[in-house]
Amino acid sequence: MTLLQVKDLQVRFAAPGSGLFGINRQWVQAVNGVSLSLAAGQVLGLVGESGSGKSTLGRAILRLNDMTAGQILFDGVDMAQGGRLDIERLRHETAMIFQDPYAALNPRLSIGETLAEVLRVRGTVAAPLIRQRVDELLTLVGLRPELARRKPGSLSGGQCQRVGIARALAIEPRLIIADECVAALDVSIQGQIINLLLELRQRMNLAILFIAHDLAIVRRLCDRVAVMYLGHIVEEGPTEAVFGSPRHPYTAALIQSIPQIDPTRPLLGDPLPGEPPSPLNIPSGCAFHPRCRYAQPICAVTPPPLHDLNGHRYRCVLGEPLL
Ligand SMILES: Nc1ncnc2c1ncn2[C@@H]1O[C@H](COP(=O)(O)OP(=O)(O)OP(=O)(O)O)[C@@H](O)[C@H]1O
Ligand code: SF4
Ligand SMILES: [Mg+2]
């Protein structure tokens, strides 16, 4: 069952310092016509270089950012048109997990107070049962209930991130948006958090939009993956199809940029030269053309066509697998 459907979403920001009093204002087109869908129990990875618009897309879906145009259907209801009650329901059924586990928690409140506060606001657990529910939530994310008395400052990064997940789960969400939620953690702790998310997805039929730079983690965790470049989704499909036979040169370059552990594999030249262009000045035609090793003259002129191979979609003039 489709839980979330995003159609042709656009988000733009006025560029800082541009257009005093609105004259000659420049716009950063951070999300540029994105469409995607997510079913209950599904994990969708969202990858792409810094500045490609991943966080802006995640925040716009939860209506934490204003959107400029498009539709966000949550359970079939268009949140872009939604009234106060619709947005409130969205808040009650979705949660976000952030990158910095310490910054996301109030340092003055104990862990137990933080979780109890969410439960009180949510209002689905009777006051006398809140303590017990806090203990259950901590156990669910693999922490001892005694930790409820501690403040965030006395916990490790991994423990704090588990508390962040417990706080997200406290509202019993159907959709979680995790924005670089393991990036700040040690590799072994990352593995534990990923296993925890997989287990919770299974147990609670959670849908997760998992935003990350780390392609190896995305490959392990996600059912599907979407690749973003300068506000566009350039390729999207089942994880194994996208990683196993990428169709878009940008995806192929990202995969080839993963450090190889295998010393017998030949080293490529830089698969992804240069930086993405400024989002204030998005190249014409295919936005990737200035960096694309397969670019043809038409790529600078015409937006590339969308191909759909049984749900593996990509936008490029090329028609063959690249790796
Ligand atoms: N509030 C804002 N005002 C102006 N520009 C913004 C704002 N938020 C984001 N941007 C711009 O929008 C673009 C997309 O940013 P976003 O943070 O969504 O990228 P990202 O893919 O999450 O990057 P990262 O991987 O570094 O987290 C960037 O060019 C960024 O500078
Ligand atoms: S459309 Fe052209 S420039 Fe864009 S990714 Fe494909 S080959 Fe490269
Ligand atoms: Mg981000």
Side-chain angles (χ1 to χ4, degrees):
M1 188 199 71
T2 304
L3 179 64
L4 172 73
Q5 203 167 8
V6 174
K7 292 186 186 167
D8 208 13
L9 185 70
Q10 316 250 359
V11 182
R12 66 177 189 177
F13 300 108
S18 77
L20 217 52
F21 310 118
I23 304 163
N24 293 331
R25 174 159 288 166
Q26 286 188 294
W27 299 98
V28 176
Q29 190 72 45
V31 176
N32 199 352
V34 163
S35 299
L36 54 83
S37 65
L38 188 53
Q42 202 174 48
V43 185
L44 173 66
L46 185 60
V47 302
E49 284 164 293
S50 191
S52 55
K54 306 179 298 295
S55 299
T56 305
L57 173 58
R59 293 173 58 84
I61 289 171
L62 298 191
R63 301 303 317 272
L64 301 169
N65 266 352
D66 280 341
M67 50 190 281
T68 314
Q71 287 185 308
I72 297 168
L73 301 165
F74 186 76
D75 238 358
V77 178
D78 186 1
M79 292 298 157
Q81 307 295 330
R84 198 177 51 83
L85 283 179
D86 291 321
I87 303 291
E88 224 163 79
R89 190 168 77 91
L90 184 73
R91 293 275 137 77
H92 279 163
E93 300 197 343
T94 59
M96 193 140 181
I97 312 174
F98 299 94
Q99 171 167 5
D100 182 346
Y102 292 105
L105 297 172
N106 184 337
R108 284 186 295 276
L109 295 186
S110 72
I111 302 309
E113 285 164 343
T114 289
L115 295 177
E117 178 63 21
V118 177
L119 292 170
R120 259 192 297 278
V121 172
R122 178 79 172 93
T124 46
V125 179
L129 299 177
I130 284 183
R131 264 279 318 259
Q132 185 190 333
R133 182 68 187 141
V134 167
D135 288 358
E136 283 168 9
L137 282 166
L138 289 172
T139 310
L140 189 63
V141 297
L143 294 172
R144 281 173 290 114
E146 298 88 86
L147 247 62
R149 288 193 298 273
R150 308 248 296 262
K151 300 254 171 79
S154 73
L155 303 184
S156 70
Q159 286 174 323
C160 260
Q161 196 52 289
R162 285 173 192 264
V163 174
I165 295 172
R167 187 179 55 175
L169 294 175
I171 64 168
E172 294 170 34
R174 297 163 69 200
L175 167 68
I176 284 186
I177 297 191
D179 192 353
E180 300 283 2
C181 76
V182 295
L185 304 173
D186 290 345
V187 174
S188 64
I189 312 289
Q190 283 183 347
Q192 293 173 16
I193 300 284
I194 297 303
N195 287 342
L196 174 63
L197 288 174
L198 281 170
E199 190 189 316
L200 294 170
R201 181 270 291 265
Q202 192 78 19
R203 203 187 298 182
M204 304 165 91
N205 207 25
L206 271 176
I208 305 177
L209 180 65
F210 188 80
I211 300 173
H213 274 100
D214 190 326
L215 297 192
I217 291 181
V218 168
R219 189 168 195 171
R220 177 157 157 226
L221 175 69
C222 301
D223 307 303
R224 299 181 69 84
V225 57
V227 182
M228 221 171 158
Y229 188 74
L230 282 179
H232 297 278
I233 290 188
V234 296
E235 180 157 6
E236 193 257 335
T239 304
E240 272 323 301
V242 172
F243 280 90
S245 56
R247 297 286 182 142
H248 195 284
Y250 180 60
T251 313
L254 283 181
I255 292 171
Q256 285 171 323
S257 308
I258 304 174
Q260 294 296 339
I261 299 168
D262 179 359
T264 60
R265 258 176 96 135
L267 279 176
L268 288 162
D270 186 358
L272 195 51
E275 299 282 314
S278 159
L280 282 172
N281 202 357
I282 293 182
S284 58
C286 170
F288 188 54
H289 84 261
R291 299 169 82 194
C292 180
R293 62 167 80 173
Y294 302 94
Q296 304 165 14
I298 194 181
C299 302
V301 185
T302 315
L306 175 68
H307 303 262
D308 190 338
L309 309 160
N310 296 323
H312 179 179
R313 288 180 281 270
Y314 68 102
R315 287 178 190 277
C316 178
V317 294
L318 305 175
E320 297 299 318
L322 294 169
L323 292 181

